[in-house]
């Protein structure tokens, strides 16, 4: 968009149209000042212009999504793998250890759940090589509470309008349709159906502070359209109202729950003693958890690192050599910091050259990773202690920046050098041993200014975007 990016008058006009279009389309968030109210809302941050995404990499990301669904689902059923892989981590990371204890506890009791639903989002950046070619590199896969599928179902329309206002009608017609909200709802509806109780509801497990409620409402409303009842509850409600009957059916104040869709539960801060008890109750129940605790563990950074070790994918997915090759082709360099010579060596390399790496703890939600000088300092401090085992190291991906405007309420309109992260939503349903649904469910492009190393949309760093395939 070289020609328009520098045309201040055209940009101002287009930005005004864009903001109103976003409000009209429902690209909304509650405000930081009134996070509990829906009578004061604003638009969710988004780019003025769609960002260029190499078509081949976009297609590659879609093509590998069913493989990732299969992989995550397979790992979630492999106790030995989870146990071995997380053994060193749970010695030092309390949160992962706690989740792991619940996992072992429900296995010992025997699973009541027979229908499984996975909704994940595999995130990628486009690594810019020395020879000027770009490669698709997975950042992580989110197996719990992967968000923005709802709002992003509405951003392509906004960008289509913006391009027209800027005189780019032809380009506007090339923007792809995208409706993750529908795809995610389809998965939830299928799981609800296989659970097999007309009376039972779908329960969205939500945060105390629900700024991103409209994103969830998009999925919720798709379920109502299918005549499936949805309730929104917090962990505290589960503690107060939840119970299991003799066959471990889950009831909330007498109402049976078929599916529990977690949009909460991935950070340690939400769990007090009562909420841990609530989590255990849900996991013990027959209800379809999205995700079950095993699948949440399958999404840890430690598991991601273990998958990159030679031979691991082959062992997990025997008889799927093509899936293994497609998955491996997206991996960046990932390194264990477990105690031992190998960990010592990579720690020393990262201390000497921190800008080549990202240091990641077992946390989700943005803002937890360490970069540059900070990475060096922390690694210096923990390099000889078992604490380093709670982290992994990853090669830093370096995308080619592009100019764009990040539209954010109450912020000045200014051009930024930006990089993007592409997410592909995956959804699958398994009944017993059989995958009855396995598909990609749409995409999410998030873009941020290059001065921020870390952070997503909810963290206030990245904004919603639409891919323009080139
Ligand atoms: P979280 O679970 O907190 O979302 P991520 O692994 O997705 O953790 O990292 C958060 C953000 O940090 C990403 O959205 C991305 O912007 C940045 N990031 C993570 N890993 C890398 C990497 N290897 N190279 C460059 N940036 C990265
Ligand atoms: Mg992330």
């Amino acid at each position: 968009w070289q020609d328009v990016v520098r045309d201040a008058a055209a940009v101002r006009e287009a930005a005004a149209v864009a903001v109103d279009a976003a409000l009209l389309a429902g690209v909304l968030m509650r405000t930081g000042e009134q996070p509990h109210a829906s009578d004061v809302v604003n638009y969710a941050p988004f780019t003025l212009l769609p960002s260029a995404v190499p078509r081949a990499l976009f297609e590659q990301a879609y093509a590998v999504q069913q493989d990732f669904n299969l992989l995550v689902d397979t790992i979630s059923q492999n106790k030995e793998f989870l146990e071995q892989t997380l053994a060193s981590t749970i010695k030092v990371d309390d949160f992962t250890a706690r989740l792991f204890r619940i996992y072992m506890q429900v296995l010992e009791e025997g699973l009541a759940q027979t229908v499984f639903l996975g909704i994940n989002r595999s995130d990628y950046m486009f690594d810019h090589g020395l020879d000027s070619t770009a490669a698709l590199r997975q950042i992580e896969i989110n197996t719990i509470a992967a968000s923005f599928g709802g709002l992003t179902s509405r951003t392509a329309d906004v960008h289509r309008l913006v391009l027209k206002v800027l005189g780019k009608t032809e380009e506007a017609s090339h923007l792809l349709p995208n409706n993750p909200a529908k795809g995610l709802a389809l998965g939830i509806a299928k799981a609800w159906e296989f659970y097999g109780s007309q009376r039972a509801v779908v329960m969205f497990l939500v945060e105390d502070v629900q700024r991103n409620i409209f994103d969830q409402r998009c999925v919720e409303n798709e379920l109502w359209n299918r005549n499936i009842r949805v309730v929104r509850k917090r962990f505290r409600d589960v503690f107060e109202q939840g119970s299991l009957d003799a066959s471990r059916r889950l009831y909330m104040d007498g109402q049976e729950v078929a599916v529990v869709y977690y949009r909460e539960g991935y950070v340690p801060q939400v769990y007090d003693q009562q909420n841990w008890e609530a989590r255990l109750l849900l996991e013990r129940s027959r209800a379809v958890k999205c995700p079950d605790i095993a699948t949440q563990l399958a999404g840890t950074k430690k598991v991601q690192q273990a998958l990159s070790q030679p031979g691991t994918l082959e062992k997990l997915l025997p008889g799927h050599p093509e899936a293994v090759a497609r998955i491996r082709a997206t991996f960046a360099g990932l390194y264990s910091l477990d105690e031992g010579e190998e960990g010592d060596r990579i720690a020393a390399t990262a201390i000497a050259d921190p800008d080549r790496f990202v240091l990641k703890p077992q946390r989700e939600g943005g803002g937890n990773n360490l970069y540059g000088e900070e990475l060096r300092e922390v690694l210096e401090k923990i390099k000889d202690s078992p604490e380093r085992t709670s982290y992994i190291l990853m090669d830093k991906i370096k995308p080619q920046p592009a100019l764009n405007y990040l539209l954010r309420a109450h912020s000045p309109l200014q051009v930024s050098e930006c990089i993007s992260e592409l997410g592909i939503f995956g959804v699958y349903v398994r009944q017993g041993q059989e995958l009855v649904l396995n598909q990609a469910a749409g995409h999410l492009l998030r873009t941020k200014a290059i001065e921020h190393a870390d952070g997503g949309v909810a963290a206030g760093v990245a904004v919603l975007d639409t891919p323009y395939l080139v």
Side-chain angles (χ1 to χ4, degrees):
W1 318 120
Q2 300 279 358
D3 52 338
V4 291
V5 156
R6 297 294 187 195
D7 182 342
V11 163
R12 256 198 320 276
E13 186 195 341
V17 171
V19 165
D20 288 343
L23 288 162
L24 277 174
V27 185
L28 303 173
M29 270 177 123
R30 286 179 174 170
T31 64
E33 295 73 39
Q34 299 201 46
H36 299 290
S38 282
D39 49 358
V40 181
V41 299
N42 218 318
Y43 60 94
F46 65 102
T47 57
L48 176 66
L49 299 157
S51 292
V53 167
R55 180 184 299 273
L57 303 191
F58 184 82
E59 287 171 357
Q60 185 189 352
Y62 262 96
V64 72
Q65 188 54 45
Q66 285 171 304
D67 304 324
F68 272 118
N69 291 346
L70 177 69
L71 177 64
V72 170
D73 186 48
T74 302
I75 294 169
S76 79
Q77 297 169 78
N78 192 329
K79 171 166 170 263
E80 198 192 345
F81 175 77
L82 283 174
E83 224 171 357
Q84 277 177 11
T85 303
L86 295 172
S88 57
T89 308
I90 62 180
K91 278 192 203 135
V92 285
D93 187 86
D94 284 342
F95 180 57
T96 312
R98 220 52 219 253
L99 293 172
F100 195 81
R101 277 218 295 285
I102 292 182
Y103 168 59
M104 292 307 268
Q105 200 172 336
V106 294
L107 277 186
E108 265 158 44
E109 186 180 20
L111 293 185
Q113 183 178 347
T114 58
V115 180
F116 297 83
L117 164 65
I119 291 178
N120 63 58
R121 200 189 66 224
S122 183
D123 290 336
Y124 306 91
M125 281 182 171
F126 314 114
D127 201 15
H128 191 70
L130 293 174
D131 56 354
S132 226
T133 58
L136 187 73
R137 290 285 168 258
Q138 186 182 50
I139 296 297
E140 64 157 346
I141 188 158
N142 303 281
T143 61
I144 181 166
S147 59
F148 292 106
L151 295 188
T152 206
S153 298
R154 292 145 186 245
T155 47
D157 283 346
V158 176
H159 284 122
R160 208 171 283 122
L161 180 60
V162 168
L163 288 183
K164 287 183 190 174
V165 168
L166 290 168
K168 301 195 175 295
T169 309
E170 168 68 18
E171 289 86 342
S173 72
H174 295 161
L175 293 183
L176 299 171
N178 182 36
N179 200 338
K182 236 192 173 71
L184 304 193
L186 171 80
I188 296 172
K190 252 239 145 40
W192 177 85
E193 218 173 280
F194 275 98
Y195 178 88
S197 170
Q198 281 291 327
R199 294 178 313 277
V201 300
V202 170
M203 177 165 84
F204 280 39
L205 208 283
V206 296
E207 318 97 298
D208 288 330
V209 180
Q210 300 162 38
R211 273 198 71 192
N212 202 17
I213 189 169
F214 301 106
D215 182 54
Q216 299 163 8
R217 292 283 195 210
C218 293
V219 182
E220 233 173 288
N221 292 356
E222 292 286 345
L223 291 165
W224 284 106
N225 287 343
R226 294 166 175 269
N227 297 320
I228 297 173
R229 296 187 67 80
V230 180
V231 297
R232 299 173 61 85
K233 301 283 182 184
R234 299 156 306 166
F235 272 122
R236 191 167 356 124
D237 302 320
V238 175
F239 179 79
E240 286 166 3
Q241 305 160 18
S243 64
L244 305 185
D245 73 4
S247 60
R248 280 190 269 156
R249 287 176 183 276
L250 173 66
Y251 289 86
M252 289 290 289
D253 265 348
Q255 177 152 58
E256 187 176 356
V257 177
V259 179
V260 180
Y261 174 43
Y262 288 101
R263 291 295 296 254
E264 164 74 309
Y266 52 91
V267 295
Q269 294 82 335
V270 312
Y271 288 102
D272 55 17
Q273 189 51 36
Q274 295 187 344
N275 290 356
W276 278 119
E277 282 177 39
R279 180 72 196 258
L280 177 61
L281 182 90
L282 297 175
E283 294 304 322
R284 291 183 56 229
S285 79
R286 177 180 295 268
V288 182
K289 271 78 65 183
C290 179
D292 67 348
I293 198 140
T295 305
Q296 180 174 358
L297 289 169
T300 52
K301 310 252 180 328
K302 184 62 195 179
V303 165
Q304 181 187 7
Q305 179 268 311
L307 293 175
S308 75
Q309 296 296 298
T312 306
L313 286 175
E314 287 79 358
K315 230 183 277 166
L316 288 167
L317 296 176
H320 295 275
E322 285 161 358
V324 165
R326 280 190 295 265
I327 290 170
R328 189 183 308 291
T330 68
F331 283 172
L334 288 145
Y335 313 94
S336 164
L337 284 168
D338 283 3
E339 287 172 280
E341 238 175 74
E342 216 181 304
D344 293 345
R345 207 171 323 119
I346 196 68
T349 307
I351 286 168
D353 196 358
D355 284 329
R356 266 181 54 200
F357 300 95
V358 182
L359 182 62
K360 299 191 175 188
Q362 310 302 311
R363 291 291 174 272
E364 304 292 330
N368 301 300
N369 300 334
L370 300 163
Y371 305 81
E373 260 326 295
E374 210 184 348
L375 180 160
R376 188 206 298 268
E377 271 165 38
V378 168
L379 209 46
E380 273 289 3
K381 208 158 61 203
I382 61 172
K383 70 177 196 302
D384 297 318
S385 101
E387 195 194 334
R388 87 173 189 205
T389 312
S390 64
Y391 294 84
I392 61 150
L393 272 171
M394 182 174 184
D395 282 342
K396 189 167 173 186
I397 308 307
K398 295 175 176 159
Q400 172 93 321
L403 296 181
N404 209 328
Y405 291 81
L406 307 183
L407 304 180
R408 221 189 284 277
H410 314 297
S411 297
L413 187 62
Q414 64 189 37
V415 72
S416 306
E417 270 197 274
C418 298
I419 56 175
S420 301
E421 185 170 347
L422 174 70
I424 308 292
F425 287 96
V427 44
Y428 58 89
V429 175
R430 170 165 54 84
Q431 188 181 38
Q433 287 306 305
E434 193 197 351
L435 271 182
V436 291
L437 178 81
N438 178 7
Q439 57 189 43
H443 55 267
L444 167 72
L445 192 71
R446 292 173 299 166
T447 292
K448 65 179 183 184
I450 51 169
E451 48 270 27
H452 297 286
D454 202 284
V457 181
V461 171
V463 307
L464 302 172
D465 198 349
T466 298
Y468 185 85
L469 300 190
V470 294

